[in-house]
Amino acid sequence: MKKTTGALVGLCATGPLLLAVPILAIGAGTASASCSTDGAQGVGSAAVATQVKAILDGGDKGSVSVPGLDDPADQVPNAKTIQATGVAMNIPARGQVVALATALQESGLRNLTYGDRDSLGLFQQRPSQGWGTANQILDPVHASTKFYEELKKVSGWQSLSVTQAAQAVQRSGFPDAYAKWEPLATALQEAIDPLLQKAGDESPSPSPSGSAGTSSPSSGTAGGCSADGDGTDFGTIPAGALPDEYKIPADAPREVQTAIRWALGQLGTPYQWGGSCTGSHGKNPMGRCDCSSLMQQAYKAAGVSLTRTTYTQVKVGKAVSVDALQPGDLLFTEGTAAVPEHVGMAIGQGLIVHAPHTGDVVRITTLASWKPRILAARRVV
């Protein structure tokens, strides 16, 4: 669950954590959230660029036709790059819309080599204001990465309007100008998303250290990421689906089997930031799951008490090595080891169940796609 302001801020208590067992050689920066994508931690543009290329190259090559664009041949490729960068950085759909609306206002979705004073590029970023060199700003992936990094630093940005979120990043002299672009930005995001989703789902996210992640060896090889594989044998797993070959580990503790079974019962239900996960199949959105409430309620079904947020769940149980995971272990990504933003549960056979972000559903993913960015692992049972 992510940090916000007002009544819910108490759900996101933070505190220091020293892991006795090193998980990965990843630097711990700062973060401002407790679930999924709102952390302030930067990632290397080179690593993001590697993921963006994979997402664009591996995605559907279908065309995008959205009314309202005056030069689609130029604008759509730029929009796809902005959105693919968001996918690579695990930015939810709402954040991608904010970025697209901003670029529509600032440059008309064109990579401009000119602007007010020293402003350049898709977002009219200024070298003199620390956005990078002129050449960097004119690289759409770099420009998009910097925009998303600044957006993630805005506390509670997902609860803001598109205009408020964009203005918090851009600090424009025309703060209300972004609102008119929200419908077109939304239409673009929805049209482009199916072209990127398949490629982005199983691609490892860029590691916070700035190096491109690589898949770990499959089961049976030295240095493999778990005793029963890394999940790559399952191939691409559709959203909300469970591979036919998967079986709940019979040798796992009873509580773990129950927690896994309960979590799998939520597959395909929509993510809801701040949702309690107490009625994910019901009509009330707040009964649906976010990442940490999915873990909490799964273990509650097994008679094991967990705290509510990733900030505190990362202190539960004992630290374990990512090379010695067992079913039921909690795996934390995004942010820092002390203040992680996202959590999932290892369920055996190299698979993880988690509630990703707004616009997605509770789903299964592979350990191979997570390992490059796991910051901490905790054994609850």
Side-chain angles (χ1 to χ4, degrees):
M1 159 170 195
K2 307 178 192 72
K3 185 168 88 172
T4 184
T5 56
L8 286 178
V9 73
L11 295 176
C12 299
T14 62
L17 173 68
L18 298 176
L19 292 179
V21 180
I23 302 300
L24 288 175
I26 295 177
T30 59
S32 61
S34 63
C35 179
S36 190
T37 55
D38 274 352
Q41 183 183 24
V43 293
S45 291
V48 175
T50 298
Q51 294 302 320
V52 171
K53 185 178 187 303
I55 290 167
L56 292 174
D57 289 349
D60 193 316
K61 305 304 180 186
S63 62
V64 174
S65 179
V66 177
L69 298 176
D70 54 12
D71 186 10
D74 187 23
Q75 294 167 303
V76 169
N78 288 328
K80 289 181 73 174
T81 299
I82 291 171
Q83 195 159 329
T85 304
V87 172
M89 296 178 66
N90 292 319
I91 303 296
R94 178 73 170 176
Q96 297 167 24
V97 170
V98 173
L100 291 169
T102 301
L104 282 163
Q105 167 60 26
E106 298 292 352
S107 68
L109 266 177
R110 296 175 177 87
N111 198 21
L112 301 178
T113 58
Y114 58 87
D116 178 51
R117 288 169 285 188
D118 58 339
S119 299
L120 297 167
L122 292 169
F123 298 95
Q124 290 293 280
Q125 295 159 335
R126 299 176 60 190
S128 63
Q129 300 301 308
W131 292 94
T133 66
N135 285 339
Q136 287 175 325
I137 290 172
L138 289 172
D139 173 5
V141 175
H142 172 90
S144 301
T145 300
K146 297 299 289 185
F147 179 87
Y148 286 127
E149 286 183 343
E150 292 304 311
L151 178 64
K152 289 164 70 177
K153 294 177 183 177
V154 178
S155 179
W157 68 265
Q158 290 201 41
S159 65
L160 301 178
S161 68
V162 167
T163 287
Q164 290 170 328
Q167 174 62 10
V169 175
Q170 298 293 104
R171 294 184 286 277
S172 168
F174 303 94
D176 299 322
Y178 304 103
K180 64 185 178 184
W181 298 109
E182 183 173 356
L184 179 54
T186 301
L188 266 173
Q189 195 280 331
E190 292 176 349
I192 292 171
D193 183 64
L195 307 184
L196 306 179
Q197 188 171 23
K198 180 178 179 181
D201 181 46
E202 293 300 323
S203 296
S205 289
S207 66
S209 62
S211 60
T214 56
S215 295
S216 44
S218 60
S219 67
T221 62
C225 55
S226 74
D228 58 353
D230 60 7
T232 53
D233 290 345
F234 291 104
T236 300
I237 303 171
L242 181 67
D244 291 338
E245 302 87 348
Y246 173 79
K247 303 294 182 186
I248 295 175
D251 57 350
R254 177 187 56 79
E255 296 89 347
V256 168
Q257 292 185 46
T258 300
I260 291 174
R261 186 174 296 107
W262 193 94
L264 295 181
Q266 319 314 311
L267 287 175
T269 61
Y271 174 98
Q272 174 62 51
W273 174 79
S276 65
C277 204
T278 55
S280 63
H281 296 274
K283 295 182 179 180
N284 181 4
M286 296 313 295
R288 298 169 186 165
C289 308
D290 66 14
C291 66
S292 52
S293 65
L294 177 63
M295 302 299 105
Q296 182 188 45
Q297 294 302 319
Y299 268 108
K300 182 178 180 179
V304 178
S305 178
L306 285 187
T307 55
R308 176 63 181 88
T309 72
T310 53
Y311 288 179
T312 52
Q313 287 178 359
V314 78
K315 303 175 186 179
V316 173
K318 65 179 181 179
V320 294
S321 169
V322 77
D323 290 315
L325 296 175
Q326 294 180 8
D329 289 348
L330 302 185
L331 309 179
F332 297 86
T333 66
E334 312 304 324
T336 71
V339 190
E341 304 164 19
H342 190 60
V343 62
M345 181 192 298
I347 63 172
Q349 294 179 247
L351 299 180
I352 299 165
V353 61
H354 69 130
H357 51 70
T358 301
D360 210 333
V361 298
V362 176
R363 63 161 65 218
I364 301 293
T365 192
T366 65
L367 184 56
S369 67
W370 269 42
K371 189 179 180 183
R373 51 196 172 104
I374 294 175
L375 300 172
R378 306 293 292 189
R379 184 156 300 152
V380 177
V381 175

